[in-house]
Amino acid sequence: MLSMHSTLLPSYTLLQFSSCRPAECSPMVLQVLLDWINNVLVEERIIVKQLEEDLYDGQVLQKLLEKLGHHKLDVAEVTQSEIGQRQKLQTVLEAVHDLLRPHGWALRWNVDSIHSKNLVAILHLLVSLAMHFRAPIRLPEHVSVQVVVVRKREGLLHSSHVSEELTTTTEMMMGRFERDAFDTLFDHAPDKLTVVKKSLITFVNKHLNKLNLEVTELETQFADGVYLVLLMGLLEDYFVPLHNFYLTPESFDQKVHNVAFAFELMLDGGLKKPKARPEDVVNLDLKSTLRVLYNLFTKYKNVE
């Protein structure tokens, strides 16, 4: 018999995403998290194919947490019985809670919900872990799910549909809550945003043209970090040795390396540490890219 406030969700086909059509959005959210987990655990030779089927017993969650936190958990490696699984899951979730509790986040899962393969609870858990460990992924923003809540009253079961928010904005999920001028531009002044973008394109091309390079799309052409590195060399008037960065990056990690290296050059040039993460720029987050470029514009706008 279902207990009070239990949630029925046997498979992700029941999910209804408010931000886009279910057929488009559900694979998007699930696939991003699946790819992230499999990338983290690639050296463990673990392949997760279905979140609710592969994570419910705590085995994969243990390996994921150990890999992310660089800390070995004191649990049995293999547990076949349900009691053993739940004990292991309890230990793993206690370690997760110790990590997340200082953030003050609501923990929307427990041993029962994870072990019963409640996909919404598993998604809440994974999104929180991705936030805490600043995972190099980009989740769709403002994603909600419609869940069926079943309550028992006077011996009868009553069901209702409740909307549950899985993700907010990228900035809030990654812990950057202070709004700035770019938040205002994006939310309230798209016409002025266009003007800012044109000004930044003019600024970067003034210098990149010296290398016969030209930018037309800010979010895409800076995403691999190459133009950022070259731009810093031009602005500070030095040659950047080619062995310090990837001139033709092919993988995500190589692009992140390039952007992170450009950030180091900015710090060496006396600029403040960028608010954006290198991963945000690589993931084509326009607002993050604009913040980085505007900081350069502010300091170097008069450099010839």
Side-chain angles (χ1 to χ4, degrees):
M1 189 68 68
L2 293 171
S3 60
M4 184 72 77
H5 300 297
S6 61
T7 303
L8 294 175
L9 195 63
S11 70
Y12 77 82
T13 56
L14 294 182
L15 296 183
Q16 295 181 352
F17 292 79
S18 62
S19 61
C20 58
R21 288 179 296 181
E24 297 174 349
C25 237
S26 58
M28 188 187 305
V29 175
L30 295 171
Q31 197 61 51
V32 168
L33 291 171
L34 275 172
D35 290 345
W36 171 55
I37 293 172
N38 286 326
N39 285 336
V40 173
L41 298 178
V42 64
E43 294 180 358
E44 302 290 331
R45 298 185 178 179
I46 294 174
I47 299 177
V48 175
K49 295 182 178 180
Q50 196 170 1
L51 294 178
E52 63 268 40
E53 293 297 332
D54 294 338
L55 271 65
Y56 80 97
D57 62 358
Q59 183 76 20
V60 174
L61 281 175
Q62 172 205 345
K63 296 297 183 182
L64 180 65
L65 193 60
E66 288 178 343
K67 197 72 175 178
L68 292 170
H70 306 289
H71 176 70
K72 186 77 172 175
L73 297 180
D74 186 18
V75 293
E77 280 299 316
V78 180
T79 53
Q80 297 293 338
S81 69
E82 181 176 343
I83 293 176
Q85 289 175 356
R86 293 177 70 89
Q87 289 175 341
K88 180 172 191 168
L89 185 58
Q90 177 73 41
T91 301
V92 173
L93 291 184
E94 285 177 356
V96 171
H97 295 172
D98 289 340
L99 287 174
L100 302 181
R101 204 168 281 123
H103 296 297
W105 297 333
L107 306 182
R108 300 178 181 178
W109 62 86
N110 54 34
V111 172
D112 289 336
S113 60
I114 301 297
H115 196 265
S116 64
K117 304 180 183 180
N118 182 321
L119 184 58
V120 171
I122 292 171
L123 289 174
H124 277 307
L125 170 59
L126 293 177
V127 169
S128 295
L129 286 175
M131 291 162 58
H132 173 78
F133 288 105
R134 302 183 70 81
I137 60 176
R138 185 168 181 80
L139 289 165
E141 298 183 342
H142 299 298
V143 175
S144 297
V145 292
Q146 294 292 326
V147 297
V148 180
V149 178
V150 179
R151 296 180 176 87
K152 182 180 179 182
R153 295 184 193 141
E154 299 176 353
L156 298 176
L157 296 179
H158 301 267
S159 64
S160 61
H161 290 78
V162 177
S163 178
E164 219 172 299
E165 187 178 58
L166 283 177
T167 67
T168 54
T169 65
T170 299
E171 293 184 338
M172 289 186 68
M173 287 189 289
M174 292 305 174
R176 299 191 297 276
F177 299 103
E178 293 184 8
R179 291 178 59 82
D180 62 11
F182 283 101
D183 292 303
T184 304
L185 284 176
F186 271 75
D187 294 342
H188 306 294
D191 54 331
K192 294 182 180 179
L193 176 62
T194 301
V195 174
V196 171
K197 289 174 66 175
K198 288 182 179 179
S199 297
L200 291 177
I201 287 176
T202 300
F203 164 69
V204 298
N205 281 335
K206 171 183 175 182
H207 300 282
L208 290 175
N209 285 166
K210 299 171 186 175
L211 299 177
N212 293 321
L213 301 174
E214 185 172 4
V215 170
T216 57
E217 295 290 336
L218 294 178
E219 61 267 55
T220 58
Q221 290 181 266
F222 283 98
D224 64 5
V226 175
Y227 279 13
L228 272 181
V229 172
L230 296 176
L231 183 59
M232 281 307 303
L234 291 166
L235 293 173
E236 286 288 339
D237 195 24
Y238 55 68
F239 174 76
V240 182
L242 297 181
H243 66 266
N244 284 334
F245 68 104
Y246 298 94
L247 192 58
T248 56
E250 297 178 355
S251 68
F252 183 88
D253 289 341
Q254 289 177 351
K255 295 175 184 178
V256 171
H257 169 88
N258 282 355
V259 178
F261 177 59
F263 284 6
E264 292 177 12
L265 297 181
M266 293 174 196
L267 292 175
D268 291 342
L271 289 164
K272 293 182 179 179
K273 183 179 180 179
K275 288 184 178 181
R277 303 181 309 152
E279 293 85 355
D280 297 333
V281 176
V282 176
N283 278 323
L284 307 181
D285 183 63
L286 177 59
K287 196 185 297 184
S288 297
T289 303
L290 291 179
R291 286 189 175 108
V292 172
L293 295 176
Y294 187 75
N295 281 342
L296 296 180
F297 173 79
T298 300
K299 178 173 181 179
Y300 298 105
K301 58 186 176 182
N302 295 321
V303 172
E304 293 299 326

